[in-house]
Amino acid sequence: MVMIMALFFSQFVIAQEKKTFKSWNPAKDSLNVVHGRGWTNGYKSNYDRLPATAEKKVRDPLWKLSENSAGLNLRFKTDAEEIVVKFTVSGSLQMPHMPATGVSGVDLYVKDLDGRWLWCAGKFAFGDTISYRFLNIAGKDLQIKDREYQLYLPLYNSVKWLEVAVPTTASFSKIPVAKADKPIVVYGTSIAQGACATRPGLAWTSILGRKLDRPMVNLGFSGNGKFEAEVLDYITQIDAKLYVLDCLPNMISKEMSNAFVGKRIADAVAQIQLKRPGVPILLTEHDGFSEEEMQPLRKKEYETINQVLRNTVDSLTKAGRKDLYLLSKKAIGQDIESMVDGLHPNDIGMMNYAKAYEQKIKEIFKEKEGKVSTTIPVTQRRDASTYDWESRHNQVLDYTASHQPKLVFIGNSITHYWGGQPIAPHANGKDSWKKYFGDRNAINMGFGWDRIENVLWRVYHGELDGFKPQQIVLMIGTNNLEINTDDEIVQGLKLLVTAIQDKQPKAKLVLLGILPRKGMEARIAKLNKEIGAATALSSGKGGKVERPLKMDFKFVDAGAVFLNPQQRIDESLFSDGLHPNALGYEKLGKFLVNRLPMTN
């Protein structure tokens, strides 16, 4: 028995010894792989937040804080069942009011097929070298091999060295920083930097970045967010989609009068708008919490400085300043359960911040969403074995910028694999595409496996920005049939049509009914009638509505083209009962071209 156990143990050791890893050191990568920074190069150290030139231009305490890696993150794809992160930091591991996991730890999230970010629990050990080990994390996503990860770096420490390791047999690919999305830039205090989140992924800027699916640049400096011109000079170098100024908690002191604070706020707005006219600025009230009967002086300080902010914004607005927005203390809504010390939020408080910012920013960006899945914008990775969804999104953005298309097709795989540009992995109807649309400066914005909510995300993230199409053809919804009710599909299409109008009010929009598919012919025929009635109402043709469409809009149903006399699909027109073959695309092209008259 002893010999058997000894043999088993020796074999186990041998098996363990055979397990080897390969490592990635982002600092040695030739590509720009550190997400969350406002500049692509020019840093003194690999994980700094301000360029090296800032060291002699900003105050020394602020420069030292800029060496903390708050908000920085790494993205990669792998099929590994085990991920190991090892790194060293230069400062203290923890603080009295904030644990080591937030001050000096990392945080790993994985994106599922439907675009949701899920947290990965890891085993960690803190010492001279900090290690995180994530075990048994490989998913069972049958449609894809690799999963996408996001690794947040420490909030209150400076990373000196870091490596990500996976088993040698696992796949691994890093995701460089994309040029497509402009970031949201946050200039603030310790609260913005991340105090006192228990994990980096729970800082409100990190939560907000996941909720909005947008890059965030965290320029929160603990105790040192003071609307300083030197810092704003750097912030305005960043081509941002939105600037958030959340500095009030650092503006309460005997040395700062109300007039001084008001002038600092006004000067900051003027400085940003001089260099970045038209970019919205969101200013945030102080949301510290204290019970009036316990700390009346502290409560008065919060109320006074918030009134200074409101008065200043009101004065600037009346003077003609535009693109100014205010996030109120009431909207954030902290209480005694959401704070560590009456000033810094705990994890509940961080979520309160993120939710308030999310709601306000979506209002600013005019990105309306509903409560059912078809009305909540999200990415997807359901067809990653055939093409990369995010890469195609970036290809579309590049193509619209360089070609300024006049005819736009938006849809799922039925559109994706028809033909045209950007080129798909395969095309089943390229001859009919060329025949009917080849001379009309058309773009194919079809994405395999897309649902209504995925197209909504794409519309909100720039695919209809920066050019002026004359006509847009939208055909989406078949991938929602198996997971959504007819009413949810109609709700999603109504919101999507409205979103397209907001982006391109002068274009002519053709909403094409869902094409028949095998086994669902009756349901789809009924649903298309409901879609036609609902969208006709939205366009103001069927009665009064809350917000009628102003663009040139019509709904068309090509179902009859694909049905036989028994109202079943004509299988000679399909490759699989869902996707048209070359003959099916020919018939669809002929049907559409007669409804898309040429325009000058």
Side-chain angles (χ1 to χ4, degrees):
M1 184 65 176
V2 173
M3 292 181 62
I4 294 175
M5 290 298 295
L7 180 61
F8 172 81
F9 182 75
S10 66
Q11 290 176 338
F12 176 79
V13 171
I14 292 172
Q16 288 292 94
E17 290 175 349
K18 288 183 178 179
K19 191 172 185 179
T20 59
F21 286 79
K22 55 186 177 183
S23 299
W24 173 50
N25 184 332
K28 295 181 178 180
D29 205 297
S30 60
L31 299 175
N32 182 17
V33 293
V34 181
H35 295 252
R37 297 194 296 191
W39 299 263
T40 56
N41 50 46
Y43 295 95
K44 181 179 179 180
S45 299
N46 296 309
Y47 301 103
D48 287 354
R49 291 183 290 151
L50 286 177
T53 56
E55 184 174 10
K56 295 182 179 180
K57 295 183 179 180
V58 302
R59 291 180 296 104
D60 186 59
L62 191 144
W63 168 254
K64 286 183 169 58
L65 288 163
S66 76
E67 295 178 310
N68 296 164
S69 55
L72 304 188
N73 60 91
L74 306 169
R75 292 177 60 197
F76 53 88
K77 295 178 183 178
T78 181
D79 63 354
E81 294 187 0
E82 182 177 357
I83 297 174
V84 179
V85 183
K86 292 185 178 181
F87 58 102
T88 59
V89 296
S90 59
S92 300
L93 294 181
Q94 64 185 25
M95 297 188 293
H97 62 326
M98 189 173 174
T101 49
V103 172
S104 306
V106 295
D107 215 357
L108 188 66
Y109 284 74
V110 62
K111 181 177 280 191
D112 73 2
L113 292 177
D114 297 322
R116 297 174 301 174
W117 285 107
L118 310 175
W119 179 63
C120 300
K123 295 183 178 180
F124 47 82
F126 286 81
D128 291 338
T129 296
I130 303 170
S131 66
Y132 275 70
R133 188 176 298 271
F134 303 91
L135 301 169
N136 303 315
I137 56 175
K140 300 184 181 300
D141 300 332
L142 301 180
Q143 292 154 289
I144 62 172
K145 179 183 178 184
D146 295 341
R147 305 185 80 187
E148 179 181 336
Y149 293 88
Q150 185 171 26
L151 181 71
Y152 294 98
L153 302 187
L155 295 170
Y156 263 83
N157 223 321
S158 302
V159 176
K160 297 168 58 179
W161 165 88
L162 180 144
E163 280 190 351
V164 179
V166 297
T168 307
T169 55
S171 64
F172 185 90
S173 59
K174 64 276 183 98
I175 302 177
V177 177
K179 297 179 181 179
D181 263 354
K182 295 181 180 181
I184 295 171
V185 177
V186 178
Y187 175 32
T189 67
S190 56
I191 299 169
Q193 183 167 343
C196 291
T198 58
R199 298 188 275 109
L202 291 179
W204 71 257
T205 55
S206 301
I207 299 170
L208 183 64
R210 294 193 300 275
K211 285 180 173 291
L212 296 178
D213 247 334
R214 293 189 181 277
M216 305 287 297
V217 175
N218 184 328
L219 295 177
F221 304 110
S222 186
N224 287 273
K226 298 182 179 182
F227 296 113
E228 292 174 288
E230 297 82 1
V231 179
L232 288 161
D233 275 339
Y234 278 94
I235 287 174
T236 55
Q237 293 175 15
I238 306 170
D239 186 12
K241 188 173 181 66
L242 170 72
Y243 296 101
V244 175
L245 304 182
D246 190 355
C247 295
L248 286 197
N250 289 161
M251 302 301 289
I252 298 177
S253 75
K254 294 179 180 179
E255 290 75 29
M256 296 185 189
S257 66
N258 292 344
F260 176 87
V261 173
K263 187 176 185 304
R264 273 282 176 106
I265 295 168
D267 288 347
V269 168
Q271 189 172 350
I272 292 174
Q273 292 191 334
L274 178 64
K275 292 187 178 180
R276 298 291 178 179
V279 180
I281 300 172
L282 175 58
L283 297 111
T284 307
E285 290 187 0
H286 190 326
D287 196 35
F289 180 82
S290 60
E291 297 286 0
E292 186 168 11
E293 62 269 24
M294 296 294 294
Q295 295 175 305
L297 178 60
R298 195 173 187 182
K299 189 172 189 294
K300 184 178 179 180
E301 289 176 339
Y302 302 153
E303 292 174 343
T304 299
I305 200 166
N306 285 342
Q307 190 62 53
V308 171
L309 176 61
R310 288 193 292 270
N311 291 344
T312 305
V313 171
D314 185 57
S315 177
L316 291 171
T317 303
K318 289 179 179 178
R321 293 280 183 183
K322 298 181 180 179
D323 304 308
L324 296 182
Y325 301 88
L326 188 71
L327 182 63
S328 69
K329 173 179 172 64
K330 182 179 179 181
I332 301 170
Q334 304 292 23
D335 60 30
I336 198 65
E337 305 297 342
S338 63
M339 308 295 282
V340 173
D341 52 9
L343 175 62
H344 298 97
N346 57 26
D347 291 341
I348 298 172
M350 286 292 181
M351 187 61 71
N352 290 343
Y353 265 103
K355 287 180 178 178
Y357 272 110
E358 178 189 14
Q359 181 176 345
K360 189 66 180 182
I361 291 173
K362 285 180 176 177
E363 290 175 8
I364 295 171
F365 292 169
K366 297 180 180 179
E367 294 180 355
K368 187 177 180 182
E369 68 176 47
K371 295 183 178 180
V372 299
S373 64
T374 55
T375 62
I376 301 173
V378 68
T379 62
Q380 60 99 349
R381 296 193 67 233
R382 289 182 289 273
D383 199 21
S385 60
T386 304
Y387 78 103
D388 185 84
W389 194 93
E390 186 173 345
S391 295
R392 182 164 176 82
H393 170 64
N394 292 327
Q395 289 169 2
V396 165
L397 297 179
D398 290 341
Y399 192 89
T400 57
S402 59
H403 291 79
Q404 298 291 299
K406 295 300 181 184
L407 175 58
V408 176
F409 283 82
I410 303 175
N412 48 46
S413 56
I414 296 173
T415 301
H416 190 174
Y417 301 127
W418 191 344
Q421 296 284 341
I423 295 174
H426 60 266
N428 297 328
K430 59 183 178 180
D431 291 339
S432 60
W433 180 280
K434 182 177 181 181
K435 175 181 176 181
Y436 292 114
F437 315 120
D439 61 351
R440 299 183 68 171
N441 192 10
I443 182 173
N444 185 328
M445 292 186 185
F447 286 55
W449 275 97
D450 254 16
R451 297 171 182 155
I452 297 167
E453 57 268 29
N454 307 129
V455 175
L456 186 63
W457 187 98
R458 295 198 276 126
V459 170
Y460 285 163
H461 284 74
E463 290 195 10
L464 290 179
D465 293 347
F467 68 110
K468 297 179 180 179
Q470 295 169 345
Q471 297 162 328
I472 300 172
V473 179
L474 173 64
M475 179 172 57
I476 194 71
T478 194
N479 290 323
N480 292 93
L481 289 170
E482 295 180 347
I483 65 168
N484 293 110
T485 66
D486 290 359
D487 180 64
E488 289 171 342
I489 292 172
V490 171
Q491 286 187 55
L493 286 172
K494 287 175 67 176
L495 179 57
L496 178 56
V497 167
T498 301
I500 291 173
Q501 175 195 248
D502 289 342
K503 293 289 187 178
Q504 294 291 346
K506 295 183 179 180
K508 296 180 179 180
L509 175 61
V510 173
L511 174 60
L512 188 61
I514 299 173
L515 294 189
R517 57 189 290 181
K518 190 171 184 179
M520 292 189 179
E521 295 92 341
R523 179 188 174 187
I524 291 173
K526 177 177 176 291
L527 175 56
N528 279 339
K529 290 181 180 179
E530 294 176 5
I531 294 170
T535 50
L537 184 65
S538 295
S539 62
K541 297 177 181 178
K544 294 182 179 181
V545 289
E546 180 180 342
R547 187 185 178 195
L549 293 173
K550 297 179 181 179
M551 70 189 308
D552 187 324
F553 169 84
K554 62 181 175 182
F555 171 81
V556 297
D557 186 357
V561 174
F562 293 91
L563 295 174
N564 60 26
Q566 290 75 41
Q567 300 302 299
R568 298 288 185 266
I569 65 166
D570 181 347
E571 298 201 34
S572 68
L573 304 179
F574 292 86
S575 61
D576 55 6
L578 171 61
H579 299 89
N581 56 23
L583 181 58
Y585 279 120
E586 165 65 30
K587 288 184 175 292
L588 182 59
K590 184 176 181 180
F591 173 88
L592 277 175
V593 76
N594 293 328
R595 290 156 178 82
L596 298 172
M598 294 291 287
T599 57
N600 295 323

